[in-house]
Amino acid sequence: MSFFSMFGLSFKEFRNIRTVLITGIFIAISMILEMFSINLALFKINFAFLAIAVIGMLFGPTVGLFAGMACDIVGFIAKPDGGFFPAYVLVAGLQGLIYGICLYHRAELPFLKKMNSTAALFIRAVIARLLDVVIINLLLNTALNLHYGFIPAEAYGTAIIARTAKNVLELFADIPLLMLVLPVALAAYKRVGMTRTVQS
């Protein structure tokens, strides 16, 4: 499968009502996890990314992109804290896109073909989380927070150091959590799919 064909395959997932239902469930789970986030001076600790990662793994980058944006929009509607900034919606969509590209279970990464499924999933999860941390958390969100004045210009260096330290420490929890959640979600999804096939 080529890189670009993965997006078309993911888009076709929208034809299945089960995709929409499961995506909606995990968007709701993401909202619940977001409610228990911890807001600190220069960053926020939360595990809502787990739900987005599952959506990306099950349905691919196209669904992940729309799910990420939907999470941000629904989250703002449910808890309108401050103004609405479309740039954050796009960044949230990019997060879903990253997890979809790295984790989509119907896409094969050439250099992982010879590995067993558990090892391959672990490497996919590590790559996805690292890209999320570096691109989304450290670069884009920090830049947007600075642009909109949530981080004072004079505190930018301090914010980068604090956010980097926070994300590095969180990786020790994030990766094990992904490896706990992703295989279970994928196994449950495939089990339901096989059950429906047998019943029909």
Side-chain angles (χ1 to χ4, degrees):
M1 177 190 301
S2 69
F3 177 79
F4 293 104
S5 65
M6 176 171 53
F7 290 85
L9 187 62
S10 175
F11 183 77
K12 291 179 181 178
E13 298 275 9
F14 280 117
R15 298 177 182 176
N16 191 334
I17 187 64
R18 185 174 57 173
T19 298
V20 178
L21 292 175
I22 294 176
T23 299
I25 290 171
F26 277 99
I27 288 175
I29 291 173
S30 176
M31 295 298 97
I32 294 171
L33 293 174
E34 188 74 30
M35 288 171 58
F36 292 97
S37 63
I38 302 172
N39 287 297
L40 300 176
L42 298 174
F43 54 81
K44 179 168 66 175
I45 298 175
N46 75 73
F47 296 100
F49 75 91
L50 290 169
I52 301 300
V54 171
I55 294 171
M57 177 188 66
L58 296 181
F59 307 120
T62 308
V63 178
L65 172 68
F66 285 101
M69 292 191 293
C71 279
D72 194 79
I73 294 170
V74 172
F76 177 79
I77 294 173
K79 189 180 179 182
D81 186 15
F84 178 74
F85 303 98
Y88 286 102
V89 177
L90 296 177
V91 170
L94 181 58
Q95 182 186 42
L97 185 72
I98 289 172
Y99 284 110
I101 290 172
C102 295
L103 298 175
Y104 191 25
H105 74 99
R106 295 176 66 181
E108 291 186 353
L109 300 179
F111 64 94
L112 298 179
K113 285 183 178 180
K114 296 182 179 180
M115 295 186 179
N116 65 56
S117 58
T118 302
L121 181 59
F122 175 78
I123 292 176
R124 284 171 177 256
V126 170
I127 293 172
R129 189 57 187 156
L130 285 175
L131 289 174
D132 183 13
V133 165
V134 173
I135 296 174
I136 304 299
N137 293 351
L138 297 181
L139 297 180
L140 295 180
N141 278 337
T142 304
L144 286 175
N145 288 344
L146 178 67
H147 174 74
Y148 288 115
F150 300 128
I151 297 176
E154 59 273 14
Y156 181 74
T158 304
I160 285 290
I161 294 172
R163 291 170 72 89
T164 300
K166 168 254 185 184
N167 279 282
V168 169
L169 291 174
E170 277 193 347
L171 283 174
F172 290 99
D174 295 346
I175 301 301
L177 280 172
L178 280 171
M179 289 309 299
L180 178 67
V181 171
L182 295 180
V184 173
L186 183 58
Y189 176 76
K190 289 183 174 180
R191 185 181 182 89
V192 170
M194 288 188 294
T195 301
R196 289 175 63 87
T197 301
V198 170
Q199 290 177 345
S200 59

